[in-house]
Amino acid sequence: TTTTTTTTTTTTTTTKTKTTSVLMCQGHHLVAIASADCPDNAGSLRHCDQVSPGEMCEGDGECGTHELNNCANEWDIYLLEAWTCQGRYLAAIASTDCPASPGSLAGCDSAGPGEMCEASGECGTNVNLGNCLGGYDLYRLEA
């Protein structure tokens, strides 16, 4: 009697995909800065929920910030992006503030001060923001 044993080896390769999410704070994008752009005063910057658009900030968990150590291997420095249109700041609205008919809004380059607008890439807006149902990208042109 002959016994044959067959061994099958299965190799599974798992590829990890890095998911990059857009951080939002005060209606604006938060972007991690490159180490080469670190300011000398990184340790004295305010937290990201306390700065104005266009300012750098130190993330400490607020607005979804996390440990980067991108400046001096110690600080987590971000930039609160400022979009401007018609000489005014644009702020992405919270999804809870979306109107019933977002498709009827004017584009951000023709909205009036204080009005909501639907972005189509004008004024540097993010066409993939999708903050309102149906994939609409809504902002408010600050007064």
Side-chain angles (χ1 to χ4, degrees), residues 71-130:
C71 290
N73 291 322
E74 181 177 3
W75 307 108
D76 313 314
I77 305 302
Y78 294 83
L79 172 69
L80 186 62
E81 287 188 330
W83 300 293
T84 58
C85 202
Q86 305 176 54
R88 300 186 188 296
Y89 285 116
L90 278 173
I93 67 163
S95 59
T96 55
D97 293 334
C98 292
S101 302
S104 64
L105 295 172
C108 293
D109 56 353
S110 60
E115 293 181 345
M116 282 188 200
C117 58
E118 207 285 313
S120 297
E122 68 278 15
C123 306
T125 54
N126 179 359
V127 296
N128 297 311
L129 182 62

Side-chain angles (χ1 to χ4, degrees), residues 41-84:
N41 66 336
S44 63
L45 294 175
R46 293 181 293 160
H47 287 161
C48 294
D49 58 354
Q50 300 171 350
V51 297
S52 298
E55 289 185 72
M56 288 187 188
C57 57
E58 207 283 321
D60 197 22
E62 69 284 350
C63 303
T65 56
H66 57 277
E67 189 171 319
L68 295 174
N69 294 330
N70 58 338
C71 290
N73 291 322
E74 181 177 3
W75 307 108
D76 313 314
I77 305 302
Y78 294 83
L79 172 69
L80 186 62
E81 287 188 330
W83 300 293
T84 58

